[in-house]
Amino acid sequence: MPIITTKDGRNINSEHVAQYTTLRSGSVKFLLSTGGEYIAEPYAEDISEFFIPVIPANPGFVAVFAERWNDGRFYYRERSVIAWRLCPAGAYPVFEGYSGDGDDYAVIIDPAGGVFDSDHNLYSTLDDWKREYEAEANQRESASSDVALSKAA
């Protein structure tokens, strides 16, 4: 149940909003399921986010984030998937913990151990995916360094 916080200090349960309209002034007119209306200026710029259904994830879904450090080593971290946002383009994971550093995961591990990426590519194990991921990253780095060398010559 996402809560819409307004600048005048009120909190509106998004599940009680039957309809809303953004006014020219920047305020929003909320028609509530109780039959009442409320006009306020929410803190959020895009309140449509509050009306995307979110359902709990089954236990065991884990997202894997990958990055390459300056020394060339790969670093992997995992975060539990606690819910799914049901958007028109598909279901997107919601992770535990603070998400200020972005939610650009590399793959999801399902409770049965299957590994899949956002392009729906399936991998037998996490190690299989890591081998392919690192090989592709090394190939891209090699190609970009070849281009840099040819420009320098």
Side-chain angles (χ1 to χ4, degrees):
M1 142 186 90
I3 300 293
I4 301 166
T5 303
T6 64
K7 292 184 179 177
D8 64 0
R10 291 222 178 159
N11 294 315
I12 301 170
N13 181 338
S14 64
E15 292 180 7
H16 292 260
V17 176
Q19 186 177 0
Y20 69 93
T21 303
T22 303
L23 306 175
R24 288 183 208 166
S25 66
S27 295
V28 177
K29 180 179 180 180
F30 297 97
L31 176 61
L32 304 175
S33 60
T34 59
E37 284 183 4
Y38 183 65
I39 297 175
E41 190 175 349
Y43 278 110
E45 290 182 24
D46 182 13
I47 63 168
S48 65
E49 295 272 323
F50 291 102
F51 302 102
I52 295 173
V54 176
I55 59 169
N58 288 333
F61 282 94
V62 176
V64 177
F65 296 80
E67 65 180 286
R68 189 171 200 164
W69 288 2
N70 290 337
D71 64 2
R73 289 184 299 148
F74 290 91
Y75 174 71
Y76 301 98
R77 62 186 169 84
E78 297 180 358
R79 290 174 70 191
S80 295
V81 177
I82 59 170
W84 299 98
R85 293 173 57 113
L86 304 179
C87 301
Y92 295 93
V94 176
F95 308 106
E96 54 87 19
Y98 176 70
S99 61
D101 60 349
D103 290 333
D104 194 14
Y105 66 93
V107 291
I108 299 280
I109 304 170
D110 66 33
V115 179
F116 60 94
D117 62 19
S118 60
D119 294 328
H120 306 292
N121 296 315
L122 301 174
Y123 303 89
S124 300
T125 66
L126 184 60
D127 288 335
D128 287 346
W129 170 78
K130 283 180 179 180
R131 276 191 293 279
E132 185 174 320
Y133 176 81
E134 291 175 9
E136 287 178 5
N138 289 333
Q139 184 178 10
R140 281 192 306 269
E141 184 176 302
S142 175
S144 67
S145 64
D146 289 346
V147 169
L149 288 175
S150 66
K151 286 184 180 180

